[in-house]
Amino acid sequence: MASDLNTQLLKGTLQGCLLILLSHQKLYGYAISEALSTFGFADIPKGTIYPLLLTMEKKQLLKSERQPSPDGPTRKYYVITAAGKQARDEFIAQWSTLTNNVATLMQKEDFDES
Amino acid sequence: MKADAFSQQNLVLRQQLTPENRSYYEDIIVYVRGRSFFKNDQVVEQSLLEILQDLIDAQNHGQSAADYFGHEPAVTAKALLDAIPRQLDAFILFNLKLFIFMLLITSIPNLVSPKVPLDYGRILIIAVVAILLAWLVLWVFGTLAFIKFKRPQKIALGIGAGLLYAGLIGGSIFIRTPFKAHLPELGTLIGLFSLLLVGIVLLIRLRKHDLGTKMLIGWLLFYVVLGIATRLPGISTVLNRPVNFGNYKWLFYVALVLAALIGGGGTWWYLRRHSD
């Protein structure tokens, strides 16, 4: 049950996380998965990011370009678009509201219990 | 880069995967390619290559393909396919090319004898059935991609598919339709000469490793040359004369069986050596 909730939460937030990551620099698939692991998303099966990246590309939140990677071979790099930046800002605002609301609710629960 | 270039690169890079990781990845490939009807071919191949490059990276960092990509590859592969845009025009164009190619394959051997009318109804039926069958086979492979069969099951499936294929090929011999036509001799001869030239150019221009296509073109050119020879004055009388084997007719049948065995065995050997 806890795992299901975690998965649902991740599904809803992963797109926003990818937008934030890619607004700092353009990255390719494996580099994105490494970055996600660095920020605590190590448990996500990285296969899930590929359909999501394609969907985001279809929605024109990202665009892709092929260029040589630091390891040598040409890779597909993802670059955030103007629409992507706007979606990122909306996500950050919504996330802030949500976390504030949840924090307030949790504080009220603590208050009631005491 | 075009889809073909991506898939060629995929073929080369795949060698870097360990047998376990390669088997895991190839299941994904079979599923995605087998189910990618109407999908943008270039995006399909680019995505498969992207995943492969990342799996190689993960492998180099000590992670197995399953640990990296996930332990439910079927679910993820389906999600990937759903995310790939549809491209109906490319699908129609591809099938049109395939249809013309199938028409050539089925009609060229029928042009060998100038006396036999061309059964174009039969040719059309075979071409359409062959295309539908090719898509059906691809779909079945895609559907079975993530099922781990035991060796006897694999053998039974192979034999079943072989029998079905042989049945269809054998059955096609008995197809007769009333839609027949005698082609004009001069026009056919010009057409055959044009095909000979196109075939030779294709053979020269084809990539070094594309032996399968070269063999197919070579086989078709054999019939084209025969078709030309049976229409040329002088040679035609010799070639169109009925052959009487007399008491050695059995030798002809033995040669036919041997040719079938060599052809079948050769194809099997080639496919085993070039399993990709």
Side-chain angles (χ1 to χ4, degrees):
Chain A
M1 187 69 189
S3 169
D4 281 353
L5 182 66
N6 199 21
T7 309
Q8 290 306 317
L9 275 172
L10 275 174
K11 271 186 184 171
T13 54
L14 198 52
Q15 177 174 302
C17 297
L18 289 178
L19 287 171
I20 295 169
L21 261 181
L22 292 166
S23 62
H24 294 294
Q25 58 177 321
K26 54 183 168 187
L27 294 167
Y28 59 91
Y30 188 74
I32 293 173
S33 73
E34 289 268 270
L36 283 173
S37 297
T38 310
F39 289 103
F41 296 96
D43 290 341
I44 301 177
K46 299 305 181 296
T48 54
I49 66 170
Y50 298 98
L52 186 57
L53 287 166
L54 271 177
T55 308
M56 289 165 75
E57 216 181 333
K58 215 157 59 173
K59 288 183 192 167
Q60 296 184 330
L61 302 175
L62 304 175
K63 60 178 181 173
S64 63
E65 50 193 50
R66 292 192 70 80
Q67 64 176 73
S69 67
D71 302 330
T74 307
R75 308 293 284 255
K76 186 183 180 187
Y77 277 80
Y78 293 92
V79 184
I80 193 164
T81 61
K85 283 177 184 165
Q86 197 183 330
R88 174 204 59 190
D89 295 342
E90 282 166 15
F91 169 76
I92 291 170
Q94 284 169 357
W95 184 254
S96 300
T97 311
L98 184 71
T99 47
N100 280 338
N101 292 347
V102 174
T104 311
L105 189 69
M106 285 167 74
Q107 278 170 3
K108 187 176 174 351
E109 291 238 315
D110 289 345
F111 175 75
D112 287 347
E113 277 172 19
S114 61
Chain B
M1 266 172 99
K2 286 188 175 177
D4 190 38
F6 284 126
S7 79
Q8 284 299 321
Q9 205 178 336
N10 188 313
L11 211 57
V12 176
L13 281 179
R14 222 183 299 165
Q15 311 298 328
Q16 295 181 25
L17 290 174
T18 62
E20 191 192 346
N21 289 342
R22 189 172 166 161
S23 160
Y24 176 95
Y25 175 68
E26 284 179 343
D27 286 346
I28 296 172
I29 283 199
V30 172
Y31 179 85
V32 172
R33 285 187 182 158
R35 290 295 190 92
S36 58
F37 303 101
F38 312 118
K39 297 287 183 180
N40 184 318
D41 211 20
Q42 194 186 359
V43 181
V44 169
E45 289 303 327
Q46 192 179 28
S47 297
L48 286 173
L49 179 65
E50 180 188 19
I51 292 168
L52 172 62
Q53 288 179 316
D54 293 348
L55 287 181
I56 292 169
D57 273 352
Q59 182 180 277
N60 292 341
H61 287 88
Q63 227 179 343
S64 75
D67 285 341
Y68 174 75
F69 197 77
H71 291 273
E72 288 182 329
V75 177
T76 315
K78 189 182 178 308
L80 186 78
L81 263 182
D82 290 342
I84 293 172
R86 288 177 197 277
Q87 201 182 28
L88 199 61
D89 54 343
F91 181 75
I92 292 169
L93 188 70
F94 175 76
N95 278 289
L96 199 65
K97 281 184 193 168
L98 194 63
F99 181 68
I100 293 167
F101 187 62
M102 286 310 301
L103 281 184
L104 281 174
I105 286 182
T106 41
S107 58
I108 288 173
N110 287 289
L111 297 174
V112 168
S113 177
K115 288 174 188 167
V116 180
L118 190 72
D119 188 341
Y120 58 88
R122 175 177 176 267
I123 287 166
L124 280 173
I125 290 171
I126 294 173
V128 170
V129 170
I131 291 172
L132 291 177
L133 191 70
W135 285 119
L136 176 74
V137 168
L138 207 59
W139 182 83
V140 169
F141 269 99
T143 306
L144 303 177
F146 293 106
I147 301 171
K148 295 290 169 211
F149 290 106
K150 289 176 181 162
R151 198 173 163 79
Q153 289 171 314
K154 277 184 186 172
I155 293 169
L157 266 173
I159 291 171
L163 284 175
L164 180 72
Y165 184 71
L168 283 164
I169 296 284
S172 72
I173 297 167
F174 301 105
I175 295 173
R176 295 280 183 273
T177 75
F179 305 105
K180 292 175 184 166
H182 277 285
L183 299 177
E185 280 304 291
L186 185 65
T188 312
L189 203 55
I190 293 169
L192 285 170
F193 266 114
S194 310
L195 282 172
L196 182 66
L197 283 175
V198 171
I200 290 169
V201 171
L202 276 175
L203 274 182
I204 294 166
R205 288 192 61 180
L206 270 178
R207 281 185 304 273
K208 203 186 265 182
H209 300 292
D210 210 346
L211 188 61
T213 316
K214 276 185 172 177
M215 280 165 70
L216 183 64
I217 294 174
W219 174 74
L220 286 174
L221 284 183
F222 168 71
Y223 284 108
V224 169
V225 170
L226 266 184
I228 293 170
T230 52
R231 284 170 175 83
L232 287 179
I235 315 172
S236 65
T237 44
V238 179
L239 287 172
N240 287 311
R241 194 184 299 152
V243 182
N244 187 9
F245 287 100
N247 291 332
Y248 296 100
K249 205 171 184 178
W250 62 272
L251 254 177
F252 173 71
Y253 292 117
V254 169
L256 271 183
V257 172
L258 275 176
L261 284 174
I262 291 167
T267 310
W268 175 80
W269 173 84
Y270 176 77
L271 289 176
R272 267 187 75 92
R273 280 196 59 151
H274 302 83
S275 56
D276 298 317

